[in-house]
Every structure is written in structure tokens, then in C-alpha cells.
Amino acid sequence: MTIPANSVCLWFDRDAEAAARFYTETFPDSRITAIYKAPGDYPSGKAGDVLVVNFTVLGIPCIGLNGGPVFHHSEAFSFQIATADQAETDRYWNAITGNGGQESDCGWCKDRWGISWQITPRVLIEAMAVGGDEAARAFAAMMTMRKIDVAAIEAARRG
């Protein structure tokens, strides 16, 4: 067994396995690598309950911990997914929001477990990297959106 030197740990009430399965079915280069059951009772569960799920999301090692209802997710942490085009943007956005999630502004959404995702087309990232007026136009266009509209960002970049 190889243990990554660094992993993202996501705290769940009790749905770490369901979340990991959803993420690994939704995103490429994602898989569940281990499921560990509690060896004894703990404050929010019993011996034999799924306690930890190790998985990757787009190659990023993650740990899902069923720690109970003590801590909650916030927008202070999010996964940013750089998409190639509108079809990929739509696919991820619709998977997350259509499975009990919710839309937010500027390409942000939350999944049904409260994890925040930024579904960001590369064209927007590239516009921001260019800077100047082009970045300002793309940024202004993005500020009016929920799911990012690639064609509208491309038009804003051109002026």
C-alpha cells in the first residue's frame, strides 16, 4: 500500500462512501483506493461502520472521514475544475447541481454534501492570466453568471 505524503481530508457526517462513489463516477482519473471500517464504537458510529474512504478526484488524493455532524463544509475550501469547453463545463455542473447540489455565482456550485466546486473553463483562466482590459472584460462577464458561458467569455475577451 502506498500512502500519499499529502491528501485532502473531507469531513462528512456519515456519507463519505456515497460522496466518493459520486466523485469517482463523475470525474476522470478518479477512483476509490480503500474503505476502512471502524474497529470499535466511536462518538458518531459503531464498530463496522465505514469510517474512512480513500479516493482520488482527478488525480488528487483525498480522504473522506465519517466524523459525524460536528463540522460543516464552507466555501473556504473548494475544488477548482478547469474545463476544456462548454460541453465539459455543462457535464460537471449538471452532475453536481442535478444530484441534490445547488448553484451559486461565478462558476461555483455545491454538491449535496456541501462541498464547493468551481467549474471554471480554461478560457476564463487564460483571460485572467493575460491581464489588462481583456481580463477586466472577461471578469465583468463572469460576475453576471452562475454556470460559466464559454461563448460569452470568449466574446468579452475580444471586446
Side-chain angles (χ1 to χ4, degrees), residues 24-92:
T24 59
E25 291 167 3
T26 301
F27 298 101
D29 193 19
S30 302
R31 66 193 172 285
I32 292 175
T33 55
I35 297 175
Y36 300 105
K37 296 191 176 190
D41 293 350
Y42 59 106
S44 61
K46 302 284 185 206
D49 290 350
V50 171
L51 181 62
V52 173
V53 180
N54 290 359
F55 60 100
T56 61
V57 176
L58 288 163
I60 302 295
C62 299
I63 298 168
L65 173 66
N66 283 330
V70 178
F71 298 112
H72 303 279
H73 302 286
S74 80
E75 289 81 1
F77 171 86
S78 64
F79 284 101
Q80 184 181 45
I81 308 300
T83 57
D85 54 28
Q86 192 67 55
E88 188 176 33
T89 300
D90 293 348
R91 184 171 62 252
Y92 294 149

Side-chain angles (χ1 to χ4, degrees), residues 15 18-19 22-23 96 99-102 110-115 117:
D15 291 336
F22 172 73
Y23 303 150
I96 292 167
N99 187 40
Q102 67 182 110
K110 281 186 189 177
D111 65 30
R112 73 181 204 198
W113 300 279
I115 302 288
W117 297 82

Side-chain angles (χ1 to χ4, degrees), residues 86 89-90 107 119 121 123-124 141-142 145-155:
Q86 192 67 55
T89 300
D90 293 348
I119 310 301
V123 67
L124 177 58
M142 177 208 60
M145 300 175 186
R146 286 190 169 258
K147 177 175 63 177
I148 303 299
D149 179 333
V150 170
I153 295 298
E154 289 170 340

Side-chain angles (χ1 to χ4, degrees), residues 120-140:
T120 310
R122 292 181 194 279
V123 67
L124 177 58
I125 298 166
E126 292 162 358
M128 299 305 292
V130 167
D133 291 341
E134 184 175 332
R137 290 189 305 269
F139 182 79

